[in-house]
């Protein structure tokens, strides 16, 4: 298997070139050109009509909602929307395509020239160009398994025929499997923010084909590309690309040539295998769809779609970092979904300490959830609970040790933070004399650290605070403790 056969020096001689084609189903109520329900999971062949079955004489009518969603998607990925785009027929025969053609867009797609920024191996951001976004309709589905006679028959479910899609084609700007993974992650995030698709890969609402080639480093022309079709998770796309890069290098190193073809990824075997040699584009005999007029997008419509877009992930991250003074990594996690970011921001705005809210949500509560393999929605601690905890910490009414103890109780008893706090009301020692006594003990027991402090290493104060905190079982008032430790050490 090529995955291990090649030495790193050999791999390093070649540069991979990758371009992705992503199909995304739009979240419309009805299909692209008829009134049938656009719904996953209905009984087979129940959401069909003469239009989506391609019966003679039936005429398509473009779904305005599909145009709205496709336009919003185009704007969200920085594309220029063409004033005039043209629907075309893409002709081919396949059992799941009763019409014998798909309505798509060809030389005049809805939108072009977009881009997505992705993080690269060295931490910098890189711009991946988007060639085009065009509208099209989905085909039906062949069911090869699940029936008693599946060994000898294939069944057809035509519910998916006519489902509105956009296809988003990247420039061949991607150079590693990781960049491809990042591109897909960002693209999905953007589409989810724009709420144009549920991007559910298991249900096929987002599908990806990866085009992969390699060339000797320094060579200007691209190598021959292979298209890996319909890989059903981002992790598998990354694995398929990694496999394909090594396979191609091995072929070339062995004196062979890459043939342009479509390959399929087998997750079970962890390899790709040949499906068919690639049809050339002209085999589809594209021609303008005679039953649909050109799609004309006027500026007022474009402005309306732009206004409807929410703040997008990248912009939101930048704003949140500035507004709440949170770390870029935390901002990335908090904005990974729009709902999560909304919940955080609603809480952060109620709190006197937004940074603490972020930290509690991601580390203290998030860490406990992760350890128990729970989702945010299953957390016993509500956002109001997090706000209360953040404020108590900030006002130093509880120490961070006490907070941890209270959260442990929340998770043990599946109770929210405010209730646990009310009941437990952790003790705080605010008696100056009592705290001073403990500090004196710790100072007496650690002469070496005292010396270090007095020699100028003032960070050692933290050591004394920690020791006294432990001695007080976390009950010393943190502000008072800090103040007294400094006083004693300097005194
Ligand atoms: P086709 O006509 O075969 O569909 P396109 O030119 O439309 O090819 O490109 C399809 C996808 O393949 C795009 O995402 C593009 O960036 C990518 N691509 C084109 N040439 C190469 C190449 N030599 N290596 C890798 N990807 C490529
Ligand atoms: Zn229909
Ligand atoms: Mg193409």
């Amino acid at each position: 298997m090529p995955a291990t056969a090649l030495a790193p020096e050999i791999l390093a001689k070649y540069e991979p070139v990758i371009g992705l084609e992503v199909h995304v189903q739009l979240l419309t109520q009805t299909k692209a050109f008829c009134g049938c329900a656009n719904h996953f999971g209905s009984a087979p062949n129940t959401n069909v009509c003469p239009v989506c079955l391609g019966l003679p004489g039936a005429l398509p009518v473009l779904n305005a909602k599909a145009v709205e969603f496709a336009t919003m998607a185009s704007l969200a990925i920085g594309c220029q929307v063409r004033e005039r785009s043209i629907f075309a027929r893409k002709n081919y025969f396949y059992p799941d395509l009763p019409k014998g053609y798909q309505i798509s867009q060809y030389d005049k797609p809805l939108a072009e020239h977009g881009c997505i920024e992705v993080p690269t191996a060295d931490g910098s951001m890189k711009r991946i160009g988007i060639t085009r976004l065009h509208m099209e309709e989905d085909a039906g589905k062949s069911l090869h398994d699940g029936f008693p006679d599946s060994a000898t028959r294939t069944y057809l479910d035509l519910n998916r025929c006519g489902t509105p899609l956009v296809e988003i084609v990247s420039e061949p700007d991607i150079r590693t499997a990781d960049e491809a993974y990042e591109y897909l992650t960002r693209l999905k995030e953007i589409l989810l923010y724009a709420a144009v698709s549920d991007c559910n890969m298991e249900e096929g609402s987002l599908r990806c084909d990866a085009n992969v080639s390699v060339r000797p480093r320094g060579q200007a022309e691209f190598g021959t590309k292979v298209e890996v079709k319909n890989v059903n998770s981002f992790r598998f796309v990354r694995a398929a690309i990694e496999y394909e890069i090594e396979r191609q290098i091995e072929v070339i190193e062995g004196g062979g040539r890459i043939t342009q073809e479509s390959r399929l990824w087998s997750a079970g075997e962890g390899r790709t295998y040949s499906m068919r040699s690639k049809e050339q584009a002209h085999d589809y005999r594209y021609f303008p769809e005679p039953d649909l007029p050109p799609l004309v997008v006027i500026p007022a419509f474009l402005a309306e779609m732009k206004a409807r877009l929410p703040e997008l992930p990248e912009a939101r991250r930048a704003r949140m970092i500035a507004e709440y003074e949170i770390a870029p990594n935390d901002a990335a996690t908090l904005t990974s979904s729009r709902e999560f970011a909304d919940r955080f921001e609603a809480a952060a705005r109620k709190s006197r300490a937004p940074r603490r809210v972020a930290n509690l949500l991601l580390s203290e509560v998030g860490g406990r959830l992760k350890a128990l393999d729970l989702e945010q929605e299953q957390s016993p601690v509500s956002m109001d609970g997090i706000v209360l905890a953040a404020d108590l910490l900030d006002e130093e009414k509880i120490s961070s040790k006490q907070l941890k103890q209270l959260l442990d109780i929340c998770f043990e008893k599946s109770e929210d933070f405010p209730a646990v706090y009310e009941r437990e009301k952790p003790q705080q020692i605010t008696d100056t004399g009592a705290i001073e006594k403990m500090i004196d003990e710790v100072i007496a027991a650690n002469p070496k650290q005292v010396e270090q402090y007095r020699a100028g290493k003032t960070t050692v104060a933290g050591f004394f605070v920690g020791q006294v905190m432990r001695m007080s079982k976390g009950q010393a008032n943190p502000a008072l403790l800090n103040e007294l430790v400094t006083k004693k050490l300097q005194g």
Side-chain angles (χ1 to χ4, degrees), residues 380-382 384-386 388 410 415-423:
V381 180
S382 66
D384 283 343
I386 286 177
L388 175 63
C410 293
E415 274 184 283
D416 202 353
F417 184 83
V420 172
Y421 174 69
E422 274 311 310
R423 192 177 61 235

Side-chain angles (χ1 to χ4, degrees), residues 102-134:
Q102 249 176 318
I103 300 178
S104 181
Q105 294 183 315
Y106 183 51
D107 55 346
K108 296 201 168 50
L110 178 67
E112 297 162 304
H113 315 304
C115 79
I116 290 181
E117 300 258 324
V118 301
T120 58
D122 67 11
S124 64
M125 296 299 275
K126 170 175 171 179
R127 182 185 178 285
I128 307 296
I130 290 171
T131 317
R132 54 190 274 148
L133 177 151
H134 66 256

Side-chain angles (χ1 to χ4, degrees), residues 232-396:
N232 64 7
S233 83
F234 292 173
R235 275 189 320 115
F236 286 154
V237 172
R238 181 163 56 191
I241 291 171
E242 273 164 5
Y243 175 89
E244 200 43 41
I245 290 168
E246 298 202 11
R247 185 191 68 84
Q248 292 183 16
I249 293 174
E250 190 166 274
V251 168
I252 297 169
E253 284 286 311
R257 282 182 46 215
I258 301 300
T259 45
Q260 184 165 336
E261 61 179 351
S262 294
R263 295 175 74 88
L264 284 177
W265 168 250
S266 160
E269 297 166 76
R271 54 165 295 200
T272 63
Y273 55 91
S274 185
M275 182 169 83
R276 57 175 143 82
S277 73
K278 171 99 181 147
E279 316 93 318
Q280 294 300 299
H282 59 253
D283 283 345
Y284 290 124
R285 292 155 38 238
Y286 278 100
F287 63 87
E289 165 62 61
D291 293 336
L292 287 166
L295 173 60
V296 177
V297 173
I298 60 171
F301 174 80
L302 213 52
E304 197 191 319
M305 294 306 110
K306 203 173 256 167
R308 216 189 270 177
L309 276 180
E311 185 181 24
L312 294 169
E314 205 50 54
R316 190 165 192 175
R317 272 192 274 280
R319 178 181 56 75
M320 279 173 43
I321 290 168
E323 192 170 336
Y324 307 115
E325 300 180 327
I326 54 180
N329 267 346
D330 289 349
T333 313
L334 290 167
T335 53
S336 58
S337 91
R338 194 171 147 190
E339 293 69 29
F340 193 40
D342 286 346
R343 285 208 296 158
F344 164 72
E345 288 209 75
R349 288 186 172 138
K350 278 194 232 162
S351 167
R352 45 179 281 153
R355 258 178 87 157
R356 290 186 190 272
V357 171
N359 179 57
L360 283 172
L361 183 61
L362 297 177
S363 306
E364 291 299 339
V365 174
R368 283 173 171 76
L369 290 172
K370 204 167 166 200
L372 295 168
D373 208 14
L374 294 176
E375 299 293 322
Q376 278 294 340
E377 297 72 45
Q378 300 168 287
S379 175
V381 180
S382 66
M383 292 307 289
D384 283 343
I386 286 177
V387 170
L388 175 63
D391 289 354
L392 289 171
L393 267 181
D394 202 58
E395 294 166 298
E396 304 200 302

Side-chain angles (χ1 to χ4, degrees), residues 31 34-36 47-53 161:
K31 292 186 181 179
C34 62
C36 292
N47 300 330
V48 291
C49 75
V51 173
C52 53
L53 291 177
C161 287

Side-chain angles (χ1 to χ4, degrees), residues 2-14 246 249-250 253:
T4 49
L6 292 169
E9 318 77 88
I10 306 283
L11 290 173
K13 278 167 47 186
Y14 293 87
E246 298 202 11
I249 293 174
E250 190 166 274
E253 284 286 311

